[in-house]
Amino acid sequence: MSQYFDLGGETLWNPSNGAARLFLRQVEVFEAELGLPSGIGPMRNDESDIDPDAFAVFVHALLARHRRTGHPVVLALSEGFVGTVVALARRAGTAIDWERLETFPDGPQSDVQITATGLSAPPRDGGPWATAVRARAAELDRGMAR
């Protein structure tokens, strides 16, 4: 059995039931963390429709949050989800403003960790961060069924 994540009648992803269930639970977590709807609809009859406008806003907010943290545990916990969302965004044709995301974030950093050696902060140069996110998304995209 599998489930379908669709956008405008096109299937973007057709994961197993277990992968879809875990992904949708993570969607709920990040919607709560960001205070935004993801645009990923509920699973009904093995199908979830994606609202492209809400999804684009969610993708940018998720990436901005990911960019603002240097906390190693938060990064580890979110890396797979962020990569999956970016892979879906690529399949959906969602434009991502990588140039803006690569700049050092304005405003407060989130989820920093103070250690004996100092503060865990996001890297000042966002190029390697963006490259790593895109590489993870590409890796996951190769393994995602349509």
Side-chain angles (χ1 to χ4, degrees):
M1 297 289 301
S2 60
Q3 315 240 294
Y4 297 85
F5 290 87
D6 298 331
L7 176 68
E10 179 187 351
T11 297
L12 303 179
W13 185 28
N14 179 225
S16 68
N17 290 346
R21 190 172 48 252
L22 182 59
F23 176 72
L24 287 171
R25 287 188 176 132
Q26 288 181 315
V27 166
E28 291 173 2
V29 167
F30 283 94
E31 285 175 330
E33 286 293 312
L34 297 171
L36 288 171
S38 65
I40 299 171
M43 193 60 66
R44 292 193 179 113
N45 299 320
D46 295 331
E47 295 180 0
S48 171
D49 290 319
I50 298 174
D51 174 321
D53 296 327
F55 185 59
V57 170
F58 179 79
V59 169
H60 277 91
L62 177 68
L63 287 168
R65 181 185 191 284
H66 194 262
R67 173 71 175 104
R68 281 193 312 271
T69 187
H71 194 291
V73 174
V74 172
L75 291 171
L77 289 170
S78 61
E79 179 184 88
F81 179 75
V82 169
T84 303
V85 167
V86 171
L88 275 176
R90 184 181 309 153
R91 289 179 176 200
T94 303
I96 296 175
D97 187 352
W98 289 105
E99 186 175 324
R100 182 177 58 86
L101 288 165
E102 287 178 13
T103 62
F104 194 73
D106 290 332
Q109 296 171 13
S110 63
D111 297 311
V112 296
Q113 179 175 322
I114 300 173
T115 67
T117 58
L119 182 69
S120 66
R124 302 262 339 143
D125 179 3
W129 167 84
T131 298
V133 170
R134 286 193 293 251
R136 181 68 171 142
E139 175 188 331
L140 290 167
D141 188 45
R142 287 189 294 274
M144 293 170 70
R146 282 192 188 235

